[in-house]
Amino acid sequence: MKLYLVPTPVGNLADMTFRAVEVLKSVNLILAEDTRTSRVLMQHYGIETPMQPYHIFNEHQSLAHVIDKLQSGMDIALVTDAGTPGISDPGFLIVRECVKNEIEVECLPGATAFVPALINSGLPCDQFTFIGFLPHKKGRQTAMKALADERRTMIVYESPFRLVKTLEALIDVLGEERQACVSREISKMHEENARGTLRELFEHFSKKEVKGEIVMTIAGNNSKE
């Protein structure tokens, strides 16, 4: 019995690893964040393993049932819509429960959106902090203010629909001259890595319709004060 955490492409289907395909073909069951999204990938690679939904809206209710399946001897893989499970996606709860129950867990290396975004940004990547998604409403301003004194490069995920408002809010907190990079459509045909100050990025994205998942890489506070 083993739980496999299997990264899936963040854009280009060719970014799937040989090993990931082998694991998904060999396990007894695949837990998928959205079976409709994952079915496209499975069909592309000829993977016929049964799937069942596992997402933030049902993971608490289905957790015990999944653990029972693992303890019965099944090998199960967890995939999300894109990237590595557990990184701003379901994964933590089931891993914690497996550890409690002494069930073996193996995470395959593979696609994660923030790594290429960080490297492409041109900002220091020797030390960085992963913020993930900022709160949408309650606690959002507090979370942003907490970034003001952070000296490491910061990585923030954002929806294309909130990007411009988030850039505007960050200008108020971090200052319009703070360097940043907005990466979108990573590994896809229309990939963009827009670099500049927060003000320049705000003006750039205010003039266009923003599409695709967003990774924002923001320079840390390098002032001497």
Side-chain angles (χ1 to χ4, degrees), residues 45 64 186:
Y45 285 102
I186 291 173

Side-chain angles (χ1 to χ4, degrees), residues 173-222:
V173 176
L174 306 180
E176 63 180 14
E177 294 302 314
R178 184 70 65 94
Q179 291 290 318
C181 176
V182 174
S183 301
R184 64 180 193 86
E185 299 282 71
I186 291 173
S187 81
K188 296 181 180 179
M189 182 181 297
H190 301 292
E191 177 174 342
E192 178 182 15
N193 294 283
R195 305 172 184 86
T197 65
L198 288 174
R199 171 61 63 184
E200 289 169 339
L201 292 171
F202 170 76
E203 292 176 355
H204 172 72
F205 286 104
S206 295
K207 298 173 183 176
K208 59 189 292 185
E209 181 183 4
V210 184
K211 296 182 179 180
E213 294 303 313
I214 303 294
V215 183
M216 301 174 60
T217 311
I218 308 163
N221 185 347
N222 295 316

